[in-house]
Amino acid sequence: MTHAAAVTSPPGTAARARRWLGLGADAADLPRRVQALVVRQQDTAEIIIGVMQAMAIATFAVLYALSRTANPPPMEIEPVPVTLALDALFTALRLWLAIRRRLGPGLLAASVVIDFTVLFLTIWSFHLQYMAPLAVVLKAPTVMYVFILITLRALRFETRWVLLAGAAAMLGWTAIVAAALLQGSAGVTRSFLAYVTSPAILIGAEFDKLVSIAMVTALLALVVARGRAVLVEAMREQIAAAELSRFFVPEIATRIRGAEAEQMAGQAERRQASILMTDLRGFTGMARAMEPDALLLLLAAYQALVVRAVRAHGGSIDKYLGDGVLASFGAVAPSDTHAADALRAIEAVQEAVSGWAPPEPGMPPVAIGMAASSGEVLFGTVGAEGRLEYTVIGDPVNRTAKLEKHNKAEGSVALTDAVTYALAEAQGYVPSVPTERRAARQVAGVEAPLDLVLLGRP
């Protein structure tokens, strides 16, 4: 077994090679959503390629028309306009297929070959149009268009198309050089001066062109390979960030994305804030009586109701506590109306519950208990390496939890302490539900009696 391991290639070598070449080996490693994003980017790139090719054809046609006017060819039948017209028709068809998202691998490969075939047929036809030896076409500046066609393939971020374009360019130019040599009418020279002043063929010059095409192709392939890796990783991160944002309130997600330094446990800020806590009454009994799927559906509907009300009044969801929700106002971002916003959110939840229907027939109605309290909190990150969490801690959090449980003793739906209520009024809160003050109430876990304000009807 050891010997077998020694003679086989390292695991993943073929996969890495295919990934570098852009042959799709990386597709299996990516979530389908990332693959879909890559495909959309490539489809868009094909449209850009089609448009750029159309512009190149138009430019070449204009330049040809100008040169023809200044130096008309001796032939009455001109191959160049015919090949340009055919190339324009093919480019239009290709662009239409790209817009319709119908360019599969076979059509893409064919389009690359056809592009270079048309280009080299155009270059080859010059000697017919000007009734000159074939070797004269080797000096045609039109050969520079091969670099445009190769570069256009890089827009798709797949090295295989760049390599195919480079190979087609080298093969096409080699065929023209070979045809010129076989014709033999111009001869071969080693003099650069003779090369530029006569139809003679300079082998070194043609070799330099092939080397240039090969080097440009290789460099572009390398750029595309690296660019594709960055593109895929960026899309993976984009989707991951979008998914992670669903686990954080928008304010925290924005805070994480915009942080200049790495987030670490123990970082905190002091805030004057209000804490709101809700609890789904009778949840333990529901858990015994209901099927798990139905229970979670009911729980999700209840949480959605609370979240909408909290966010509508500027609050942030700190965490889900099973059948409870802990929200903060003024902790994630400072607020001058945090207490008023918290009490308005309580009213909004009460209103939503009064008109709320269970997500499925036969589900029991829900009742919610709520409480709010204000004061100084610490807002920051807790946890350990590899698992961090933004949260709020402080006396208002503990007091709110105890007040919420105290609803049962008071027979109330929602309540707050008198200090928080007075602060809310000072911040512009005007109750739209009945309120009742109860003085010096003994709340479990709180040493001194508290003056309470009940919000809403019991």
Side-chain angles (χ1 to χ4, degrees):
M1 184 175 290
T2 303
H3 175 70
V7 298
T8 56
S9 60
T13 300
R16 286 194 294 270
R18 288 178 60 82
R19 184 178 295 112
W20 189 91
L21 291 173
L23 296 176
D26 57 350
D29 301 333
L30 298 176
R32 290 185 179 180
R33 291 168 295 176
V34 179
Q35 295 179 43
L37 280 176
V38 172
V39 169
R40 284 199 293 271
Q41 290 288 337
Q42 291 174 334
D43 290 341
T44 302
E46 288 301 330
I47 296 174
I48 296 173
I49 290 171
V51 172
M52 295 300 295
Q53 282 184 286
M55 293 174 62
I57 293 171
T59 301
F60 184 76
V62 170
L63 293 176
Y64 175 77
L66 294 175
S67 66
R68 182 184 181 281
T69 302
N71 184 23
M75 287 188 65
E76 293 184 2
I77 300 175
E78 303 176 32
V80 173
V82 176
T83 55
L84 281 177
L86 291 175
D87 196 17
L89 289 174
F90 172 72
T91 299
L93 174 62
R94 187 187 177 287
L95 182 57
W96 180 79
L97 290 173
I99 293 173
R100 299 294 297 272
R101 305 293 196 267
R102 292 184 179 179
L103 277 176
L107 287 174
L108 284 172
S111 70
V112 173
V113 174
I114 291 173
D115 285 340
F116 283 96
T117 300
V118 171
L119 175 64
F120 287 122
L121 282 176
T122 302
I123 295 174
W124 174 83
S125 69
F126 288 165
H127 83 287
L128 298 176
Q129 186 162 335
Y130 291 96
M131 300 179 65
L134 180 58
V136 300
V137 306
L138 299 180
K139 301 173 180 61
T142 313
V143 70
M144 302 301 291
Y145 279 80
V146 301
F147 296 108
I148 297 176
L149 294 179
I150 295 172
T151 305
L152 282 175
R153 294 296 129 197
L155 291 174
R156 191 178 170 85
F157 283 98
E158 284 187 283
T159 55
R160 54 178 168 174
W161 306 119
V162 176
L163 295 175
L164 177 60
M170 294 180 68
L171 182 61
W173 192 249
T174 300
I176 290 180
V177 173
L181 289 170
L182 289 174
Q183 190 183 64
S185 59
V188 176
T189 183
R190 293 185 178 182
S191 169
F192 178 75
L193 182 60
Y195 169 71
V196 297
T197 58
S198 72
I201 302 172
L202 181 61
I203 299 297
E206 305 314 319
F207 180 76
D208 285 344
K209 292 175 185 175
L210 292 174
V211 170
S212 298
I213 294 173
M215 289 298 296
V216 169
T217 300
L219 289 173
L220 276 177
L222 179 60
V223 170
V224 168
R226 292 174 61 84
R228 180 181 175 86
V230 173
L231 172 67
V232 169
E233 189 61 30
M235 289 183 172
R236 194 198 299 268
E237 292 294 330
Q238 177 184 345
I239 288 182
E243 288 296 309
L244 286 174
S245 295
R246 298 175 60 192
F247 292 87
F248 298 96
V249 295
E251 299 87 353
I252 292 181
T254 302
R255 185 187 184 97
I256 294 173
R257 287 195 296 265
E260 296 183 1
E262 180 182 1
Q263 302 296 291
M264 300 178 64
Q267 298 175 337
E269 301 175 47
R270 294 184 182 275
R271 295 270 199 270
Q272 289 296 320
S274 294
I275 305 300
L276 168 62
M277 187 173 292
T278 71
D279 178 72
L280 183 61
R281 297 290 188 241
F283 183 75
T284 302
M286 294 179 189
R288 296 195 192 99
M290 297 176 65
E291 293 295 327
D293 290 346
L295 180 67
L296 289 179
L297 181 63
L298 181 67
L299 186 61
Y302 144 70
Q303 290 171 339
L305 180 152
V306 174
V307 169
R308 281 195 298 270
V310 168
R311 289 183 176 172
H313 292 86
S316 300
I317 302 300
D318 183 83
K319 59 174 63 72
Y320 297 101
L321 307 168
D323 62 332
V325 177
L326 177 64
S328 64
F329 297 78
V332 178
S335 171
D336 294 330
T337 59
H338 56 85
D341 293 335
L343 299 194
R344 292 188 187 108
I346 286 179
E347 292 185 2
V349 173
Q350 290 180 340
E351 181 179 359
V353 169
S354 65
W356 184 69
E360 288 186 356
M363 286 187 174
V366 299
I368 300 177
M370 294 173 284
S373 186
S374 301
E376 185 179 81
V377 300
L378 290 178
F379 172 73
T381 52
V382 296
E385 183 179 356
R387 177 65 173 89
L388 299 178
E389 181 179 284
Y390 273 98
T391 190
V392 287
I393 58 177
D395 289 340
V397 180
N398 300 328
R399 185 165 57 250
T400 302
K402 293 166 184 175
L403 287 175
E404 194 286 313
K405 290 181 180 179
H406 189 72
N407 273 306
K408 296 179 181 178
E410 300 291 342
S412 57
V413 173
L415 55 80
T416 184
D417 58 89
V419 174
T420 299
Y421 187 84
L423 178 60
E425 286 186 316
Q427 294 175 353
Y429 170 69
V430 178
S432 59
V433 297
T435 61
E436 179 183 348
R437 294 179 178 271
R438 296 183 181 179
R441 312 300 287 183
Q442 191 65 53
V443 178
V446 179
E447 293 183 3
L450 291 176
D451 294 337
L452 304 179
V453 179
L454 279 58
L455 305 171
R457 300 185 185 279

